[in-house]
Amino acid sequence: MSRTIPWFLRLPRGAVARRDVIERLSFALHRERRVDPGDVVHAFGFKCDELAFAREVLTRHPRYWVFRTHQQRRCGDFAAVDMSSPDPARRAVCVVELKRAEALRVDRGAGLQLARAAELLAALAAETGIVTADAPVVRVTGDGRALAGWLGRGAAA
């Protein structure tokens, strides 16, 4: 069994209805990989409006799979994959860094927070198979509500 904390946790729609979603997922990961649940909570815990963003995207735009990213790995706050295409080679990954009350910026100005987006893509491709390693990656920063609306317009496609 691997004791390594993964790059991401998938957030199922039903799970984000609970405030303790990360705690619950951490115990599942503990059973699967024998990692310390406290370390998982530290790596993936929500701050500010992050849980609200995940809830909004998963509720309003069910075609997306949303992943919480490891907060110390400089790969954003979330990755969203539009699952509407049956072909993993045609799915794009939107890597999101939430910035409260800031305008949306697409593929610019992300800096260190999104520096390792390509490594996140590689991990998603290898561990889930829902995208390919050469999938397009869109890097987006900005306010959570505006970003959820942007995703709803199919902007990551």
Side-chain angles (χ1 to χ4, degrees), residues 29-45:
L29 199 59
H30 170 70
R31 287 189 300 276
E32 178 186 314
R33 295 189 183 207
R34 307 302 302 164
V35 297
D36 183 331
D39 291 344
V40 175
V41 170
H42 178 71
F44 295 102

Side-chain angles (χ1 to χ4, degrees), residues 131-147:
V131 294
T132 58
D134 61 347
V137 176
V138 179
R139 293 165 179 82
V140 184
T141 62
D143 184 75
R145 287 187 180 166
L147 222 156

